[in-house]
Amino acid sequence: MEKMNQAFEKMKMLVGMEVEDEEQAPEPEDSSSFSFMDDFNRSCTLSTKQRLYGFAICFVSGLACTLLSMLVFFNPVKFGITFTFGNLLSLGSTAFLIGPKRQVTMMLDPVRIYATALYLGSIIIALFCALYVHNKLLTLLAIVLEFGALVWYSLSYIPFARSMVSKIMLGCFDTEF
């Protein structure tokens, strides 16, 4: 049992959670923070084991939806819906690990605010094209935009990754004829 507790403590440190006692009451923050998110966080107290299960279930479901969307690739409307739903599930899975308030705070961090806006906007555009426009070409273009925005958003969590990818792309496409 002691090895299990040590493994959970290592997992907590790995995902950025505090290793202190879980039953400890949250420290009061200043009143200018998101009061809705504070209330939501207080009502969503999960143990580390429950957080890991929630993350795993949500992430595997999102990955399954994304992979299953490949089966309906030639029907862009169904593809757009399942691909986008898979992305939303995968994005929501990280809220189990770090909490919804910290997730939103990290998404709105000045370093990645534009990547977040582009990603969420591309999700809305893809769903709009799939559900209301019913144009296969626009839906496929929206999915390509969504995938690119997902990659760019994901790279914002890796130090220097976006600048490295930008330099590589400039090097690949900067040719003189």
Side-chain angles (χ1 to χ4, degrees):
M1 190 64 175
E2 183 64 32
K3 287 184 181 182
M4 194 70 144
N5 289 336
Q6 289 174 351
F8 278 136
E9 286 180 11
K10 286 181 183 179
M11 188 61 77
K12 283 182 187 179
M13 290 188 315
L14 216 132
V15 298
M17 294 174 58
E18 294 183 21
V19 184
E20 299 177 69
D21 194 22
E22 291 178 353
E23 282 75 274
Q24 188 176 11
E27 297 176 3
E29 296 180 10
D30 59 344
S31 61
S32 64
S33 66
F34 305 114
S35 62
F36 171 74
M37 290 304 289
D38 290 337
D39 294 338
F40 189 69
N41 269 343
R42 274 188 229 110
S43 65
C44 291
T45 54
L46 300 173
S47 70
T48 305
K49 189 175 184 179
Q50 290 171 331
R51 286 178 183 265
L52 291 175
Y53 281 144
F55 166 76
I57 290 169
C58 210
F59 184 74
V60 168
S61 300
L63 190 60
C65 279
T66 303
L67 293 176
L68 287 175
S69 70
M70 300 302 167
L71 295 175
V72 291
F73 180 75
F74 294 109
N75 185 348
V77 174
K78 289 180 182 178
F79 175 71
I81 292 169
T82 54
F83 184 79
T84 302
F85 186 64
N87 279 340
L88 288 174
L89 278 173
S90 297
L91 180 66
S93 69
T94 56
F96 280 101
L97 289 180
I98 61 176
K101 181 181 179 186
R102 188 167 173 209
Q103 171 81 20
V104 171
T105 304
M106 288 175 67
M107 289 176 74
L108 298 178
D109 191 39
V111 172
R112 67 183 60 88
I113 186 75
Y114 297 116
T116 301
L118 180 66
Y119 180 52
L120 295 178
S122 68
I123 287 174
I124 292 169
I125 290 170
L127 286 175
F128 180 76
C129 289
L131 295 174
Y132 295 110
V133 178
H134 297 293
N135 187 330
K136 293 181 178 186
L137 180 62
L138 284 178
T139 303
L140 282 177
L141 288 174
I143 292 299
V144 169
L145 175 70
E146 181 180 344
F147 183 75
L150 171 65
V151 169
W152 194 251
Y153 172 76
S154 299
L155 288 175
S156 71
Y157 285 95
I158 304 169
F160 306 110
R162 291 191 297 181
S163 63
M164 183 179 67
V165 168
S166 296
K167 288 178 183 177
I168 290 172
M169 295 304 258
L170 283 175
C172 289
F173 295 111
D174 187 27
T175 59
E176 294 182 24
F177 291 105

